[in-house]
Amino acid sequence: SLSAYYGDRRAIYDMSLEPARTGRSRLESVRGRLVYEFMGSACDGWTTNLRLVTELRPVEGQAQTTDIRSNTVEAGDGSQLRFLTRSLLNNRDRDQADGTARRTGGGVTVTLRRPRERVADLPDNDALFPVAHMAKVLATARAGGTILEADIYDGSEGGEKIYATTAVIGRSTTAPLPDNDPANLERLRGVPRVPVSLSYFEKQANGEALPLYEMSIELFDVGITRSMLLDYGEFAIRGTLATLELLPAQSCP
């Protein structure tokens, strides 16, 4: 149930370069910040605001600054997703998407306003929106499951793509955190957390396709991410929690 989430929260992660799974990296360094805000309730819906700014400095060539901004509002029952995303490269617009997606009996219907006005019918009646997907990952972990395969729609890539995902869930722990850990908060002490590895694939891929990217996170049972590693094959980016603020949970009338 989505009501298992704590209410409003704001987390900031410092981003840095990590060794990639290929053993080779085309980047010399990465620095940046991810600001993540999550708020709402099962009756009013869940609002997520995200901004990721990174400076990528390649081994050869000029440094590039990427700025990704995302705002989504997901219905409490997981039936609808309102999304607005924008991506900039060196302060110039690269792409954006603005639209509303609804789950129907036969899949996901997307009404786009940008990058161009159109209606797209994506035939996948099992696709989940992001918060509903995370709730299913948590439910699987609570039940002792170790694998979850699910399709996900998040409004990215122009708002017209569904990803196939595989989540590998590790062993739960309640081990105490270091005193100086930003997640060492009274409300999180004793709350189980699990390592989760999420692989994202092209939905249409056949056979043994390689993932587009992989994300490894340490996830509290209430949906809060303590750490993350984004692996794109040619390079990887580590997200280390810098600050975490928890606000009182909102309840339905």
Side-chain angles (χ1 to χ4, degrees):
S1 168
L2 304 188
S3 61
Y5 281 71
Y6 275 125
D8 298 0
R9 75 195 65 147
R10 186 173 191 263
I12 299 176
Y13 302 85
D14 290 328
M15 315 304 286
S16 58
L17 183 66
E18 284 277 318
R21 62 176 181 266
T22 61
R24 302 182 304 273
S25 178
R26 61 183 179 84
L27 295 179
E28 180 180 286
S29 66
V30 172
R31 66 174 183 172
R33 279 210 148 181
L34 168 64
V35 179
Y36 176 87
E37 297 176 336
F38 180 87
M39 59 204 77
S41 66
C43 51
D44 295 329
W46 308 99
T47 297
T48 302
N49 294 311
L50 178 150
R51 186 173 184 186
L52 172 61
V53 179
T54 51
E55 182 190 73
L56 310 177
R57 187 171 295 278
V59 175
E60 297 180 359
Q62 298 295 314
Q64 295 184 331
T65 299
T66 64
D67 185 349
I68 300 172
R69 308 172 189 183
S70 171
N71 167 262
T72 62
V73 180
E74 184 171 333
D77 62 359
S79 63
Q80 178 175 299
L81 181 72
R82 175 77 176 89
F83 59 91
L84 178 63
T85 63
R86 184 184 180 195
S87 175
L88 298 93
L89 178 63
N90 295 331
N91 293 320
R92 293 185 178 181
D93 278 307
R94 184 168 59 177
D95 54 56
Q96 56 184 313
D98 179 1
T100 301
R102 295 178 176 85
R103 294 185 65 192
T104 64
V108 177
T109 296
V110 185
T111 303
L112 287 168
R113 286 165 285 276
R114 292 183 181 180
R116 60 191 178 94
E117 290 189 2
R118 70 182 300 261
V119 175
D121 289 314
L122 309 178
D124 188 334
N125 58 7
D126 294 322
L128 300 171
F129 297 138
V131 179
H133 176 258
M134 187 56 67
K136 196 166 185 177
V137 170
L138 291 172
T140 301
R142 292 187 197 113
T146 57
I147 299 288
L148 173 66
E149 293 183 340
D151 294 345
I152 183 171
Y153 176 90
D154 59 8
S156 62
E157 296 296 325
E160 298 188 53
K161 178 171 282 192
I162 291 177
Y163 294 99
T165 70
T166 299
V168 179
I169 303 168
R171 181 175 297 180
S172 175
T173 181
T174 57
L177 296 172
D179 290 342
N180 62 349
D181 193 301
N184 186 13
L185 303 175
E186 182 65 32
R187 285 169 56 187
L188 292 179
R189 287 173 192 158
V191 175
R193 59 188 191 274
V194 294
V196 178
S197 177
L198 276 166
S199 299
Y200 289 75
F201 301 87
E202 291 279 2
K203 184 67 178 72
Q204 297 80 10
N206 296 316
E208 297 296 323
L210 293 175
L212 296 169
Y213 67 94
E214 297 176 339
M215 179 169 63
S216 299
I217 59 177
E218 186 178 20
L219 184 67
F220 281 95
D221 184 65
V222 290
I224 293 171
T225 298
R226 177 173 172 250
S227 64
M228 68 183 72
L229 178 67
L230 307 174
D231 191 336
Y232 298 96
E234 292 184 348
F235 65 95
I237 300 177
R238 167 76 63 185
T240 302
L241 186 64
T243 64
L244 175 63
E245 182 182 8
L246 301 180
L247 302 175
Q250 299 181 33
S251 58
C252 295

